[in-house]
Amino acid sequence: MTDEVVVDLEACAREPIHIPGAIQPHGLLFVLREPELIIAQVSENAEWMLGKPVDQLLGKDISSFLDTSQIAKVRFALDSVDPRDNNPVELGLFASNTESQFDGFVHRHDGFSYLELEAASLTAGARFLDFYKRVSHLTSKLHATSSLAEMLRESTQGIRSMTGFDRVMIYRFAESNEGEVVAETVAEGVDSFLGLWYPASDIPEQARRLYLLNPIRNIVDVDYTPAAIIPVINPDSGRPADLSFAALRSVSPTHCEYLKNMGVAASMSVSIILDGRLWGLIACHHQAPKFVSYEVRKACTFIGQVLSGEISRRETLESSAYQSHATSMQASFLELMAGSANPLLGLVNYSPTLLDLIPADGVAVVLGEKTHLLGTTPGYDDLMQLIRQLQSAGMASTFVTRSLKNHFPLTEAMRDTASGLIALLIQREPATYIFFFRSEVARTVLWGGNPEKPVVPSDDGFRVGPRKSFEAWKEQMTGQSLPWSKNEIRAAQELRNLVTVVMYGK
């Protein structure tokens, strides 16, 4: 008899990383009840950094460690729709264990005010001037770039210059949430990750949600010992402190292990967000512990916003250009259909054809038992089988895939000619369809290590751990075509609407 090993593959994805119950210990955290600013929770390192035992702070207001002028600054900062607009709060608070001064950083979330303390770095005038010079110079360079690749490469160079990180990358998410390093700048002697792919599980869903909420995260030292928040449960809310917006939020131990396996001692990530979706990250790595000041983090956050705006602007221009092309094609198609005894045949027998609307390897127009083909397409029997499969699946008006084998069993000929498909249902009886086909494009994907995560022993038995090696690991991908763009899918849907209006008046 053998023991059965059960591994929870979803444990990492369920980890509540927004309520870790601890912070990174290079700063302090206070959870405050308004309006009195009573300390409901505090990080346990308060005694070491302020010389104040936790039990002398809990239940007291902030006058227990701040003077009158400092309290006024905190209250002024909180007296705003978004208190974060007033950061940093220049407190000039001295730590008890060093000669360092702390600045305050405030935000409001989940019914409480949060006050974080971090080491101050610059005078107020220097902060503004340095921020302006760094951001203005890099922003001008980004606007002047002629291509997306050049803009992303310039951004990595500029951010590395501002921060001093050993490696700065642009990590772009695919539709299925895998990520590719599409631009990179590295220090001499540092391994390059450019062109490597990483599985979606490396940045699970709840982490991607946090990147949307809080656009920057800095891990100062992956070997840190977390400073627990006391008490764990907020006595007023009955819940753990939600640290979604806290700069000091402690990160998952699994992620720290992942970074250590990669040879990284400190990291910073900045979100690139387009229309509410996470397009990618500016990912920074360092081989030694590294604290990034608030001013530099703010500058990098702004550059992330500039990148987001520029990418969005360029995508909009590209979309507008394609829409103009599609509109012109539709006008031509309308004339061709109007002048043809069978309107659909006008789209394959005369110029321009359907292939001028959407880049594809082949097009098929099916009218009952008859097919009209253009370019590289499946044969007659395969087309009839495809229609039966789509009908059995209850196809809606439009069906789109870049990997048809993931939906239906395919013949060898179908795999070669029809890995990618846009199917437009014009009429069910007799079966009337327009098909756009793309052939298989076999490609080699370079993963940053074997994407299959190892199973490792744990206190509970076994768990899925982070990869130990990040050497390039090749995988041959087959059965996929080039992806259909949003513009192409929209053009196909507009084509279907045009055809149904011309043929059936609806």
Side-chain angles (χ1 to χ4, degrees):
M1 182 176 181
T2 59
D3 294 330
E4 186 174 325
V5 176
V6 178
V7 180
D8 186 355
L9 297 175
E10 302 300 324
C12 183
R14 292 196 305 268
E15 186 178 2
I17 58 176
H18 63 299
I19 49 171
I23 64 167
Q24 298 179 60
H26 62 278
L28 290 164
L29 175 85
F30 298 85
V31 181
L32 308 175
R33 183 177 70 239
E34 294 191 273
E36 303 92 345
L37 301 185
I38 301 297
I39 301 169
Q41 293 170 285
V42 61
S43 56
E44 66 179 349
N45 55 345
E47 181 171 6
W48 182 71
M49 300 186 82
L50 293 180
K52 296 276 188 180
V54 168
D55 58 7
Q56 292 182 19
L57 294 169
L58 289 173
K60 309 292 194 305
D61 64 36
I62 58 176
S63 66
S64 56
F65 67 97
L66 296 179
D67 64 28
T68 303
S69 64
Q70 292 167 337
I71 293 170
K73 290 179 179 179
V74 172
R75 287 193 175 278
F76 177 83
L78 288 170
D79 188 22
S80 177
V81 175
D82 189 348
R84 293 174 296 181
D85 293 338
N86 299 315
N87 288 331
V89 183
E90 295 167 19
L91 297 177
L93 178 65
F94 281 94
S96 64
N97 61 325
T98 68
E99 295 184 358
S100 299
Q101 289 190 54
F102 284 124
D103 275 346
F105 303 88
V106 295
H107 70 275
R108 187 176 287 112
H109 180 57
D110 198 29
F112 294 89
S113 292
Y114 290 72
L115 172 62
E116 298 177 84
L117 300 180
E118 280 189 19
S121 56
L122 298 169
T123 63
R127 280 176 177 151
F128 175 79
L129 186 61
D130 192 52
F131 176 88
Y132 177 79
K133 285 181 177 178
R134 290 168 183 249
V135 171
S136 178
H137 178 68
L138 181 53
T139 298
S140 296
K141 292 183 72 174
L142 296 183
H143 286 313
T145 55
S146 59
S147 67
L148 177 62
E150 182 187 1
M151 181 176 68
L152 298 180
R153 186 170 58 253
E154 285 284 357
S155 68
T156 64
Q157 293 172 353
I159 288 178
R160 181 164 184 267
S161 175
M162 282 195 296
T163 63
F165 274 99
D166 293 327
R167 179 190 295 116
V168 178
M169 306 170 286
I170 302 294
Y171 182 92
R172 182 175 183 176
F173 289 102
E175 286 188 10
S176 51
N177 293 318
E178 296 98 345
E180 181 188 10
V181 178
V182 294
E184 180 189 58
T185 299
V186 297
E188 186 177 352
V190 174
D191 291 339
S192 172
F193 292 165
L194 184 63
L196 296 184
W197 284 79
Y198 296 84
S201 57
D202 277 15
I203 305 178
E205 182 182 357
Q206 81 275 32
R208 295 193 297 271
R209 285 198 302 268
L210 274 184
Y211 280 124
L212 286 172
L213 290 174
N214 192 348
I216 189 162
R217 185 198 64 197
N218 179 208
I219 302 174
V220 173
D221 184 354
V222 297
D223 282 320
Y224 74 90
T225 299
I229 296 173
I230 299 176
V232 174
I233 301 299
N234 187 309
D236 297 314
S237 68
R239 301 186 298 273
D242 186 334
L243 304 186
S244 295
F245 297 94
L248 295 171
R249 176 178 63 85
S250 187
V251 299
S252 166
T254 301
H255 183 66
C256 286
E257 185 182 350
Y258 174 94
L259 290 175
K260 284 188 279 189
N261 291 348
M262 194 182 278
V264 174
S267 74
M268 185 178 75
S269 301
V270 180
S271 304
I272 302 173
I273 300 171
L274 270 64
D275 300 322
R277 65 182 172 89
L278 189 61
W279 184 93
L281 297 170
I282 304 168
C284 309
H285 291 165
H286 208 60
Q287 295 179 327
K290 184 175 183 61
F291 172 74
V292 182
S293 70
Y294 173 80
E295 292 76 29
V296 174
R297 297 200 309 263
K298 189 71 174 176
C300 291
T301 302
F302 186 79
I303 293 302
Q305 293 169 344
V306 171
L307 276 179
S308 298
E310 270 296 294
I311 294 169
S312 179
R313 182 183 70 83
R314 295 179 190 213
E315 286 188 354
T316 299
L317 288 175
E318 182 181 318
S319 180
S320 296
Y322 190 90
Q323 185 60 45
S324 296
H325 167 72
T327 300
S328 175
M329 288 295 98
Q330 289 169 9
S332 298
F333 291 159
L334 189 59
E335 292 182 11
L336 291 175
M337 287 190 289
S340 176
N342 189 319
L344 273 181
L345 296 187
L347 301 181
V348 291
N349 293 336
Y350 305 101
S351 181
T353 71
L354 292 174
L355 291 179
D356 294 307
L357 174 66
I358 297 173
D361 294 306
V363 168
V365 172
V366 179
L367 297 166
E369 298 295 319
K370 295 182 178 180
T371 62
H372 304 270
L373 311 178
L374 186 65
T376 304
T377 70
Y380 180 85
D381 290 341
D382 284 334
L383 282 173
M384 293 299 107
Q385 176 63 15
L386 175 61
I387 290 173
R388 288 191 292 270
Q389 289 169 332
L390 291 170
Q391 290 173 335
S392 297
M395 171 191 162
S397 59
T398 306
F399 174 83
V400 181
T401 182
R402 65 176 299 193
S403 185
L404 191 57
K405 71 173 186 178
N406 291 341
H407 301 273
F408 307 116
L410 303 180
T411 64
E412 189 70 31
M414 283 287 281
R415 281 195 294 271
D416 290 341
T417 59
S419 284
L421 171 69
I422 295 179
L424 305 176
L425 172 60
I426 307 301
Q427 181 173 262
R428 296 187 185 279
E429 292 295 338
T432 306
Y433 291 84
I434 298 175
F435 294 124
F436 291 87
F437 297 106
R438 279 184 179 164
S439 302
E440 175 188 67
V441 177
R443 63 191 181 107
T444 300
V445 174
L446 286 176
W447 294 97
N450 188 335
E452 298 295 329
K453 294 189 176 181
V455 175
V456 297
S458 70
D459 293 340
D460 300 324
F462 292 88
R463 67 179 176 88
V464 176
R467 297 189 298 286
K468 300 291 185 183
S469 171
F470 289 85
E471 292 184 5
W473 191 86
K474 292 183 180 181
E475 182 179 10
Q476 190 73 13
M477 304 291 285
T478 60
Q480 292 185 345
S481 72
L482 293 175
W484 305 99
S485 72
K486 291 181 180 179
N487 291 327
E488 292 163 350
I489 295 169
R490 186 184 304 114
Q493 292 168 334
E494 291 173 352
L495 170 67
R496 180 188 178 276
N497 294 338
L498 177 67
V499 169
T500 54
V501 167
V502 171
M503 293 185 66
Y504 310 112
K506 60 181 180 181

